[in-house]
Amino acid sequence: MRHLWSFLAGLVVAPVTWVLVTLGQDGSGRTVHRWVEIGTYSTPNLIEPAVYLGVAGLLLGLLGTLRFSPLGALFAGLLLITPYVGMFIAPFTVRGWIPDNWKVLGDPLPLRQPVENGTLFLIGVLLLMAAFSAQRWRPWPAATSPAEAELTSADKPAENVFPISDWPPAGARNDRDPAPLTLDYPDPTPTEPLPRRATGESPWSAPPRATTRPEGTTGTR
């Protein structure tokens, strides 16, 4: 179905482009020649022919660059180069077939002008080259599926994500951390009690000295 719509688009764009290019070229040429004759210029006079040429370029760009179907660009290119190719075979006959006395909005429409100066042939060749560019008509790459996304994400460095209930993670404790609370019985081995002070001593006095001395040492008084 897309090829049919592309064919219809080429069938419409080719003659419309011919008319727009004719209006733009004829308007621009007559405006510049008039400036030369009177020795002055007024640039707003070029707005109308510039609009014709701009719309023609927009139509040709859409037909020749969009990823739709090559059939439209191919058919439009063939239509546009046919009159100029016919000039090689029977130039006077082809020229007589092209009307030259039409008018659009009061402006003359010399349809022979873009054929004789080769503009239509140039545009037709450009469209044919766009149609034969196989790279442009390839389908767009499909969206990446979730499975492929997981495979591609495997190349990225892994991130350590720990749940809040398991913080700090296992293996992250060091020797300075306190021992975890357990329900086991305490160690039955008693610890050595601290020496008591004599009754009546001040709590701020020095602690009592040990009564036993290691062997081989002498005390000084």
Side-chain angles (χ1 to χ4, degrees), residues 166-170 172-173:
D166 189 19
W167 185 260
R173 299 188 182 94

Side-chain angles (χ1 to χ4, degrees), residues 126-150:
L126 291 176
L127 289 177
L128 291 178
M129 293 303 297
F132 285 110
S133 179
Q135 182 69 22
R136 289 201 315 105
W137 308 114
R138 292 181 180 178
W140 291 98
T144 306
S145 61
E148 294 178 355
E150 292 179 0

